[in-house]
């Protein structure tokens, strides 16, 4: 029987999730890669299957029935998920609260909060039954501090922070580890999504600094996953060195 742990990664098709998939593949983990873009999942699976066992599930985390169907469809070799990385999420828009786009609000609350809940609800009972597991939730500095026009994105990430704390309390009796990682500025597709494909505007977010990369967060996830059984990384904020808070960033012009 394989001794590799099984990790389910949501949002594996780009950015932090994709970088983590690549790193964990090379560090003795089996991977269940999730995302909506099936073409990207297929490419990643083909590549990473050369080094580990990989399966993919394509679903939208907003769709409760699809989440349930996808996770229930896993064969017996994949059912006992050891690690859940709740990473799928995005910001949509950057507008003052009085003029925010309500579709953007729905997307952020439905994906970042309810999607995380739907996926967790499918996977946690198995961890509880087996009395083992590790949940890693990707929060954000926006879940610790609010910044101008970050209103609803921040609310969604404050919710992730609260849910992480709730999970830690409720799962404590079962020996399940719960970790939150809260990054500052990471250059991924995040800003491109936030600004609806406006690449010039997305570039301004990372201008004049060396931002974090997906790999930097993947390293921290691997660190959290490889601590001894009695150690849990509970709550971790990580910035690029040029960043001091959600709003203080030392840019070289
Ligand atoms: P990316 O845009 O590069 O990746 C987002 C991932 O989420 C993609 O794989 C995407 O896959 C998936 N996703 C988005 N919406 C859905 C959906 N409805 N259903 C299923 N999957 C979905 O951004 P990041 O890698 O930066 O973001 C990953 C996490 O990190 C997010 O939770 C984000 O909030 C958080 N974060 C990012 C920071 C940054 O500066 N980049 C800083 C702090 C936190 P697909 O489109 O294929 O479905
Ligand atoms: C992403 C970081 O500062 O753009 O969560 O909100 S920030």
């Amino acid at each position: 029987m394989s001794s590799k742990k099984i990790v389910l990664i949501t949002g594996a098709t780009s950015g932090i999730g994709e970088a983590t998939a690549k790193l964990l593949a090379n560090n003795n983990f089996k991977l269940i890669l999730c995302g909506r873009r099936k073409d990207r999942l297929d490419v990643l699976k083909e590549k990473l299957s050369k080094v580990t066992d990989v399966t993919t599930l394509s679903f939208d985390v907003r769709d409760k029935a699809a989440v349930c169907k996808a996770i229930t469809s896993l064969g017996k070799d994949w059912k006992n998920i050891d690690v859940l990385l709740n990473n799928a999420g995005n910001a949509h828009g950057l507008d003052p609260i009085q003029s925010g786009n309500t579709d953007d609000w729905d997307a952020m609350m439905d994906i970042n909060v309810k999607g995380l809940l739907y996926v967790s609800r499918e996977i946690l009972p198995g961890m509880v039954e087996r009395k083992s597991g590790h949940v890693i939730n990707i929060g954000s500095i926006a879940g610790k501090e609010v910044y101008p026009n970050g209103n609803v994105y921040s609310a969604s990430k404050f919710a992730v922070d609260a849910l992480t704390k709730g999970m830690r309390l409720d799962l404590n009796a079962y020996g399940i580890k719960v970790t939150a990682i809260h990054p500052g500025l990471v250059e991924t597709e995040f800003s491109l999504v936030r600004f609806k494909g406006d690449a010039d505007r997305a570039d301004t977010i990372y201008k004049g600094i060396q931002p974090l990369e997906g790999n930097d967060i993947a390293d921290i996830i691997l660190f959290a996953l490889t601590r001894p059984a009695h150690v849990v990384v509970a709550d971790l904020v990580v910035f690029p060195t040029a960043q001091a808070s959600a709003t203080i960033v030392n840019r070289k012009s």
Side-chain angles (χ1 to χ4, degrees):
M1 215 170 80
S2 164
S3 61
K4 287 186 174 184
K5 286 191 171 171
I6 300 175
V7 184
L8 184 142
I9 302 175
T10 66
T13 54
S14 71
I16 293 169
E18 183 182 4
T20 305
K22 289 176 178 167
L23 188 66
L24 296 189
N26 287 302
N27 281 276
N28 220 29
F29 291 89
K30 286 169 61 164
L31 303 175
I32 304 170
L33 305 177
C34 308
R36 290 166 301 176
R37 288 170 287 184
K38 191 173 176 318
D39 51 337
R40 290 199 185 193
L41 290 175
D42 290 344
V43 170
L44 203 54
K45 180 180 174 183
E46 194 183 339
K47 190 168 175 181
L48 300 185
S49 291
K50 295 186 174 83
V51 284
T52 192
D53 296 324
V54 181
T55 192
T56 62
L57 296 173
S58 179
F59 60 87
D60 187 325
V61 295
R62 285 174 289 196
D63 183 340
K64 201 189 322 186
V67 171
C68 175
K69 192 173 167 202
I71 294 171
T72 308
S73 77
L74 288 167
K76 68 172 175 35
D77 290 347
W78 290 100
K79 274 205 181 310
N80 293 346
I81 294 166
D82 298 290
V83 179
L84 166 58
L85 175 58
N86 276 317
N87 164 73
N90 276 114
H92 293 265
L94 183 68
D95 300 303
I97 195 78
Q98 67 276 15
S99 57
N101 177 324
T102 55
D103 290 338
D104 285 344
W105 295 355
D106 285 344
M108 289 184 279
M109 299 312 280
D110 289 349
I111 298 167
N112 303 354
V113 185
K114 290 165 69 182
L116 178 148
L117 282 170
Y118 296 157
V119 174
S120 301
R121 184 64 183 81
E122 291 302 319
I123 292 170
L124 293 178
M127 290 185 176
V128 166
E129 203 180 306
R130 294 187 298 278
K131 292 194 170 52
S132 80
H134 193 162
V135 181
I136 301 183
N137 293 331
I138 302 299
S140 170
I141 186 56
K144 299 286 188 183
E145 295 173 45
V146 184
Y147 53 85
N149 303 330
N151 43 64
V152 177
Y153 178 63
S154 264
S156 76
K157 289 298 185 176
F158 270 69
V160 171
D161 197 31
L163 290 171
T164 306
K165 289 171 179 158
M167 286 181 181
R168 191 173 298 119
L169 300 180
D170 296 348
L171 300 173
N172 173 261
Y174 305 98
I176 296 168
K177 295 188 186 190
V178 180
T179 297
I181 298 171
H182 303 278
L185 294 162
V186 191
E187 188 164 15
T188 60
E189 294 179 13
F190 177 86
S191 292
L192 205 57
V193 172
R194 170 169 248 175
F195 300 128
K196 305 184 194 315
D198 183 339
D200 290 339
R201 193 172 175 201
D203 284 347
T204 63
I205 301 298
Y206 311 107
K207 211 168 168 192
I209 62 162
Q210 181 174 353
L212 297 170
E213 298 172 4
N215 285 332
D216 297 315
I217 309 305
D219 267 347
I220 292 168
I221 291 167
L222 178 62
F223 176 81
L225 288 177
T226 51
R227 291 313 84 210
H230 68 289
V231 179
V232 60
V233 176
D235 196 61
L236 188 150
V237 174
V238 52
F239 289 141
T241 304
Q243 184 171 12
S245 75
T247 49
I248 305 295
V249 180
N250 181 20
R251 294 184 196 275
K252 311 278 180 235
S253 48

